[in-house]
Amino acid sequence: EVQLVESGGGLVQPGGSLTLSCVASGFSVGDYAMLWVRQAPGKGLEWVSGLSWDGSERGYADSVKGRFTMSRDNAKNSLYLQMDSLRPEDTGFYYCAKGRLVVVVTDLDYWGQGALVTVSS
Amino acid sequence: EIVLTQSPVTLSLSPGERATLSCRASQTVYTYLAWYQQKPGQAPRLLIYDTSNRATGIPARFSGGGSGTDFTLTINSLEPEDFAVYYCQQRRNWPLTFGGGTTVEIK
């Protein structure tokens, strides 16, 4: 059974940093594209970042480029999102998701339960 | 960036009725369009990929169609568990984008 479990969310002040983790089971993160998608409270879905199966493609939404860094540890079957220079508009649920394909331009066939990030003073 | 516009924003229907949701793209996405269902407090769930292919475990009452810029998600004979928010998403190119969502509510 495929499962994705995020952790690391919480309350952080504007300008602060936070790292989200996502542990996968039931498949290998190195075999598929992996992505992060966020959702502000009461709002729609926004793609944040993506990483292809072999690491050759890596991309970020313009809204987070230069501030967020996505990485993967195949040995730990885990995904990470390092978030720096956080802003109030970064507040929301962050979902780790498995791509259906190996490339980053994919749809997402499994999602974690989400980690809540709140950026506020 | 490809913009996806979903309509209507809200659809009020009764159990047993048919729901037809629309997603329009600002440029062609060929057939690279997916649909997701999200219930309150839950993560989204993939329903349909590449316009018309049902994801694993998705009931046959869900069907998708269209091509190019105009797509539809049809839910035949709504079940109580189908009342939720539905999003479309394109994978034609970077960045991946989602529509704003359609809420299917109980009339």
Side-chain angles (χ1 to χ4, degrees):
Chain A
E1 180 191 6
V2 171
Q3 281 196 320
L4 296 162
V5 180
E6 300 99 335
S7 61
L11 174 64
V12 61
Q13 292 189 336
S17 297
L18 208 58
T19 298
L20 302 181
S21 300
C22 171
V23 178
S25 57
F27 74 103
S28 297
V29 297
D31 287 345
Y32 294 91
M34 297 297 297
L35 304 96
W36 289 95
V37 174
R38 69 183 179 183
Q39 186 171 37
K43 301 297 184 181
L45 301 169
E46 179 189 17
W47 169 76
V48 173
S49 64
L51 183 62
S52 63
W53 72 285
D54 61 355
S56 63
E57 298 175 293
R58 186 190 304 260
Y60 301 91
D62 286 345
S63 56
V64 307
K65 199 172 294 183
R67 301 187 298 122
F68 289 13
T69 303
M70 180 178 179
S71 61
R72 178 177 58 201
D73 186 331
N74 290 346
K76 294 184 178 180
N77 215 29
S78 296
L79 195 66
Y80 305 96
L81 186 67
Q82 170 71 37
M83 303 182 292
D84 299 318
S85 302
L86 282 161
R87 305 167 180 169
E89 56 265 35
D90 294 319
T91 293
F93 280 94
Y94 284 71
Y95 296 101
C96 164
K98 171 187 170 293
R100 186 176 58 84
L101 306 174
V102 299
V103 294
V104 290
V105 280
T106 179
D107 28 57
L108 298 85
D109 57 0
Y110 291 93
W111 299 61
Q113 85 287 354
L116 179 60
V117 173
T118 304
V119 184
S120 175
S121 53
Chain B
E1 173 177 319
I2 296 176
V3 177
L4 299 178
T5 302
Q6 291 187 241
S7 62
V9 173
T10 304
L11 197 53
S12 299
L13 295 168
S14 300
E17 290 192 296
R18 171 183 293 181
T20 302
L21 288 66
S22 173
C23 178
R24 176 164 288 179
S26 59
Q27 58 184 274
T28 183
V29 298
Y30 302 108
T31 57
Y32 301 140
L33 191 100
W35 291 91
Y36 300 84
Q37 176 194 67
Q38 187 178 32
K39 298 178 182 179
Q42 296 185 17
R45 175 176 71 148
L46 179 65
L47 298 175
I48 300 284
Y49 65 90
D50 290 352
T51 296
S52 59
N53 298 284
R54 279 189 301 276
T56 303
I58 302 304
R61 64 180 181 274
F62 291 91
S63 63
S67 67
T69 60
D70 290 291
F71 300 86
T72 57
L73 173 69
T74 301
I75 313 171
N76 282 310
S77 191
L78 281 163
E79 297 285 343
E81 61 268 27
D82 299 336
F83 292 91
V85 181
Y86 293 83
Y87 295 95
C88 57
Q89 176 241 324
Q90 64 81 22
R91 68 170 187 90
R92 188 247 165 139
N93 60 19
W94 199 286
L96 302 180
T97 50
F98 293 88
T102 290
T103 299
V104 179
E105 64 176 23
I106 299 177
K107 186 176 182 179

